[in-house]
């Protein structure tokens, strides 16, 4: 009994004392890695990017006010916003940082962090944001040529003149960001280019590029890929030579741009990916075609090793995800979540799957998530109080609202490997999340009358998050799910005479990193698991304890 009182008291004290006032740090935002997991560190603390990207032409004085309102309604903490090369360098060497200044000033006023998106040489596999003085002078600034010699609206990645122009501009941008933001860290990450690669040709076939294609593959690069050295591209890469050459050329170029920026101000830098979506065509035509269905040479799935070898200054290859296919999402997450690549989803659609994708990515250790076009979607920003709570599908705002206050806690728990999620799948209405000391059983859909299996939800929207705070203490929430805890089979095997029960369940929230209890849940709120409905779910902190199933000593005493 005494033990129980002590642990309950410990829980209450922990509630009052943990954690920690915001740490002040002069550290530049950076990535941290622990046992193969990652966190973005901002002001000395792990930071979960609850992001949203504004529309391509929204980083202007006339359109930004709507963007901030949308971001606020979504409970975001970070806005991804473009910096346009054409606007920033209207004449060679003449820089205009007024849009950048506006972004940073207004982000601070609205209490957001920023991820700046460098719309430079590449935007969706084309060159549409390069300045007019470059666009109109293809003799000086070479375009990519297709196999028939047509000049494309893609800059050649094989031209050092193009590279130098982009490097100079990008370094100037980072220099300016350092000047205005080194003390405040409003800008926490930079995306280098946008969905790079070439649309219109598998590679540059211009005479200058062809010369490089026929030359020897750089030895260090070949060695990094464990390939024989000394051969040209065709000999070394065989049938993949064209795209491998494009990937090396694009990665090397962008790696150099990133390195030039980091030399001035070393923020974390990533490249977003237009990955190769599967095509459903005739059996012998089932491969998407590089340069047609996706930009050739970008960091798509098959090019990841080439990019890692050729662009070491890029910290993250981050897939943009535009599909309602959950199994495709899982496979893309599995591809980009690597020991050398933090998981970050910098763009996704606002579709009905937003919540489950976000939860799934979080459970795989994502440092952040960000739907695209936040200043457009009415559905996403619809205030929760304007629609009836019952049966209202959760909006992106509900998801972010849940994590906004404990964002730092969530990112820390994820870095430490203590956070897991369960996401409903077709025909799988119950899932178990295993921790060493307890199993959390997530049952999706309501009602869940006694003696029946959980019904699941019509569109598989059930999802749960469970994070371990102490040996038998967990933070729990979710949507369309009930969560209960049991002893793991392995524990029972070792100590069969054991049972587990809830000692205390608190509903509450984090305020400035400190847990505040709103009420203690018991009775109907805990008897059949912790229940989280389809919108506005609470955060629950639950303390479990174990006791013998049958205590022989007690039994003997009473005889
Ligand atoms: C992906 C791009 O990265 C964005 O800039 C935008 O063009 C979207 N596609 C459009 O939906």
């Amino acid at each position: 009994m005494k033990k129980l009182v002590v642990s309950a008291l410990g829980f209450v004290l922990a509630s009052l004392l943990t954690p920690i006032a915001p740490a002040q740090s002069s550290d530049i935002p950076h990535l941290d890695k622990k046992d193969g997991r990652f966190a973005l560190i901002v002001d000395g603390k792990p930071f979960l990017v609850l992001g949203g990207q504004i529309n391509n032409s929204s980083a202007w004085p006339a359109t930004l006010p709507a963007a901030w309102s949308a971001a606020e309604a979504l409970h975001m903490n970070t806005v991804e916003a473009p910096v346009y090369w054409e606007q920033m360098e209207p004449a060679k060497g003449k820089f205009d940082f007024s849009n950048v200044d506006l972004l940073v000033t207004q982000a601070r006023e609205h209490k957001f962090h920023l991820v700046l998106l460098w719309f430079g040489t590449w935007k969706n596999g084309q060159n549409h944001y390069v300045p007019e003085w470059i666009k109109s002078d293809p003799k000086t600034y070479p375009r990519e040529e297709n196999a028939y010699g047509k000049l494309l609206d893609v800059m050649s990645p094989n031209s050092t003149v193009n590279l130098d122009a982009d490097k100079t501009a990008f370094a100037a941008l980072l220099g300016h960001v350092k000047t205005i933001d080194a003390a405040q860290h409003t800008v926490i990450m930079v995306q280098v280019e946008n969905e790079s690669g070439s649309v219109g040709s598998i590679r540059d076939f211009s005479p200058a590029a062809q010369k490089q294609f026929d030359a020897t593959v750089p030895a260090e690069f070949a060695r990094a890929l464990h390939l024989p050295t000394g051969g040209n591209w065709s000999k070394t890469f065989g049938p993949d030579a064209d795209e491998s050459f494009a990937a090396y050329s694009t990665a090397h170029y962008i790696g150099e741009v990133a390195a030039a920026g980091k030399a001035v101000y070393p923020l974390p830098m990533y490249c977003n990916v237009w990955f190769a979506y599967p095509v459903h065509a005739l059996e012998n035509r089932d491969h998407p075609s590089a340069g047609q269905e996706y930009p050739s040479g970008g960091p798509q799935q098959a090019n990841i090793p080439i990019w890692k070898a050729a662009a070491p200054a890029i910290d993250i290859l981050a897939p943009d995800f535009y599909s309602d296919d959950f199994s495709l999402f899982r496979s893309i997450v599995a591809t980009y979540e690597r020991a050398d690549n933090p998981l970050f989803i910098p763009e996704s659609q606002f579709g009905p799957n937003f919540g489950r994708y976000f939860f799934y990515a979080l459970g795989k250790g994502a440092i952040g998530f960000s739907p695209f076009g936040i200043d457009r979607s009415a559905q996403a920003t619809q205030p929760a109080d304007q629609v009836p709570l019952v049966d209202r599908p959760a909006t992106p705002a509900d998801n972010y609202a849940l994590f906004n206050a404990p964002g730092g806690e969530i990112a820390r728990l994820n870095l430490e490997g203590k956070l897991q999620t369960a996401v409903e799948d077709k025909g799988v209405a119950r899932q178990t999340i295993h921790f060493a000391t307890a199993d959390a059983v997530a049952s999706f859909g309501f009602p869940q009358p006694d003696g029946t299996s959980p019904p699941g939800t019509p569109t598989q929207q059930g999802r749960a998050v469970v994070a371990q705070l102490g040996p038998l203490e967990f933070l729990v929430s979710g949507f369309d799910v009930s969560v209960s805890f049991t002893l793991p089979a392995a524990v029972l095997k070792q100590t069969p005479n054991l049972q587990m029960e809830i000692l205390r369940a608190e509903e509450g929230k984090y305020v400035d990193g400190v847990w505040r209890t709103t009420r203690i849940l018991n009775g109907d709120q805990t008897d059949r698991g912790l229940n989280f409905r389809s919108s506005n779910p609470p955060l629950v902190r639950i303390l479990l304890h174990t006791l013998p199933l049958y205590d022989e000593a007690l039994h003997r005493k009473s005889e």
Side-chain angles (χ1 to χ4, degrees):
M1 180 66 196
K2 200 168 161 201
K3 218 173 185 178
L4 295 191
V5 173
V6 171
S7 34
L9 191 66
F11 182 65
V12 174
L13 282 178
S15 308
L16 295 173
L17 297 178
T18 53
I20 314 172
Q24 287 303 312
S25 165
S26 58
D27 275 2
I28 185 168
H30 61 278
L31 289 160
D32 198 1
K33 188 175 180 188
K34 203 171 180 182
D35 302 328
R37 289 177 298 271
F38 295 92
L40 176 64
I41 307 292
V42 177
D43 292 327
K45 289 191 305 178
F47 181 84
L48 176 66
V49 177
L50 301 172
Q53 186 169 140
I54 63 175
N55 280 298
N56 289 166
S57 304
S58 292
W60 292 95
T63 36
L64 271 179
W68 303 123
S69 318
E72 272 153 6
L74 269 169
H75 299 282
M76 288 163 40
N77 60 22
T78 303
V79 173
E80 294 180 356
V83 176
Y84 316 116
W85 189 4
E86 62 179 353
Q87 179 277 330
M88 198 192 85
E89 195 180 2
K92 189 173 165 52
K94 299 261 174 292
F95 293 106
D96 171 2
F97 294 113
S98 54
N99 279 30
V100 179
D101 291 339
L102 194 74
L103 276 172
V104 172
T105 312
Q106 294 195 356
R108 285 179 189 156
E109 280 165 19
H110 291 269
K111 303 198 169 17
F112 289 112
H113 284 288
L114 280 174
V115 171
L116 294 181
L117 315 172
W118 173 235
F119 284 10
T121 299
W122 282 275
K123 166 70 175 71
N124 298 17
Q126 291 169 309
N127 68 354
H128 295 178
Y129 284 86
V130 304
E132 286 175 24
W133 52 271
I134 291 184
K135 270 190 197 144
S136 55
D137 186 3
K139 277 206 167 60
T140 311
Y141 301 100
R143 302 292 184 91
E144 191 163 295
E145 289 180 27
N146 75 7
Y148 306 99
K150 179 179 188 274
L151 293 194
L152 300 174
D153 55 354
V154 182
M155 304 308 295
S156 171
N158 301 102
S159 154
T160 47
V161 180
N162 291 345
L163 172 60
D164 286 344
D166 194 329
K167 262 164 88 167
T168 307
F170 189 68
L173 169 63
L174 269 289
H176 186 72
V177 172
K178 182 179 181 183
T179 307
I180 61 173
D181 198 44
Q184 291 198 53
H185 308 147
T186 301
V187 181
I188 54 175
M189 233 179 352
V190 179
Q191 178 186 293
V192 193
E193 316 293 345
N194 191 87
E195 292 189 344
S196 65
S198 145
V199 166
S201 181
I202 193 164
R203 69 169 169 92
D204 186 3
F205 287 88
S206 66
Q210 186 62 38
K211 219 171 147 193
Q212 293 178 34
F213 182 77
D214 293 332
T216 307
V217 172
E220 204 183 319
F221 170 67
R223 270 195 291 273
L225 294 181
H226 309 291
L227 291 169
T229 55
N232 65 15
W233 288 86
S234 297
K235 187 163 178 232
T236 310
F237 288 92
D240 296 326
D242 286 328
E243 193 180 354
S244 301
F245 175 70
Y248 170 80
S249 308
T250 311
H252 179 262
Y253 184 121
I254 294 176
E256 292 271 301
V257 172
K262 280 189 167 178
V264 182
Y265 188 47
L267 283 170
M269 295 197 185
Y270 73 93
C271 288
N272 65 331
V273 187
W274 177 339
F275 64 82
Y277 287 80
V279 286
H280 302 287
L282 296 175
E283 224 173 279
N284 58 349
R285 295 192 209 142
D286 60 355
H287 291 294
S289 143
Q292 303 302 324
E293 272 112 342
Y294 66 93
S296 182
Q300 57 103 340
Q301 303 90 311
N303 290 338
I304 294 174
I306 293 182
W307 271 75
K308 287 290 172 189
I314 295 297
D315 302 297
I316 311 175
L317 302 175
D320 294 343
F321 195 82
Y322 288 92
S323 160
D324 277 331
D325 184 338
F326 187 43
S327 65
L328 178 62
F329 186 65
R330 285 193 304 236
S331 96
I332 289 297
V333 165
T335 302
Y336 286 89
E337 179 224 347
R338 300 166 38 122
D340 59 357
N341 198 60
L343 180 64
F344 178 52
I345 309 293
E347 287 183 41
S348 80
Q349 62 204 12
F350 264 137
N353 277 328
F354 171 87
R356 58 204 297 245
Y357 287 177
F358 169 56
F359 265 62
Y360 186 79
L362 199 59
K364 294 289 171 189
I367 63 160
F369 200 93
S370 174
F372 176 82
I374 55 150
D375 44 336
R376 175 180 54 194
S377 169
Q379 186 255 339
T381 58
Q382 193 170 22
D385 56 1
Q386 285 181 19
V387 259
L389 273 186
V390 180
D391 289 340
R392 180 175 70 76
T395 63
D398 290 325
N399 288 275
Y400 278 3
L402 183 61
F403 291 106
N404 197 312
E409 286 304 299
I410 297 296
R412 180 182 62 77
L413 290 161
N414 227 344
L415 177 66
E416 291 169 358
K418 293 178 177 161
L419 182 141
Q420 297 191 60
T421 59
V423 178
E424 185 185 352
D425 206 353
K426 258 200 182 113
V428 188
R430 179 170 276 156
Q431 277 178 41
T432 300
I433 302 175
H434 301 287
F435 293 92
T437 51
D439 281 350
V441 182
S443 303
F444 303 115
F446 294 101
Q448 296 182 7
D450 290 352
T452 60
S453 300
T457 64
T459 53
Q460 293 83 50
Q461 294 305 316
R463 52 200 185 276
V465 57
V466 183
Q468 188 157 28
L469 302 175
L472 282 175
E473 189 181 339
F474 297 88
L475 188 67
V476 193
S477 194
F479 292 83
D480 281 314
V481 67
S482 88
V483 180
S484 52
F485 288 84
T486 61
L487 279 165
V491 173
L492 279 175
K493 204 171 163 204
Q494 290 225 321
T495 42
N497 186 27
L498 202 65
Q499 57 178 319
M500 189 164 74
E501 59 185 20
I502 298 173
L503 199 56
R504 189 181 175 102
E506 296 179 350
E507 188 178 293
K509 55 185 172 199
Y510 283 92
V511 180
D512 295 330
V514 180
W515 176 258
R516 301 263 182 244
T517 303
T518 327
R519 59 176 176 154
I520 292 175
L521 299 177
N522 208 335
D524 290 345
Q525 277 62 56
T526 57
D527 287 346
R528 289 172 180 77
L530 305 169
N531 293 312
F532 303 94
R533 300 296 167 143
S534 60
S535 56
N536 280 341
L539 272 177
V540 177
R541 212 169 145 149
I542 187 167
L543 179 66
L544 308 158
H545 77 137
T546 56
L547 66 167
L549 204 54
Y550 176 81
D551 191 325
E552 252 182 69
L554 278 180
H555 206 74
R556 267 201 304 275
K557 238 185 199 172
S558 65
E559 272 168 6

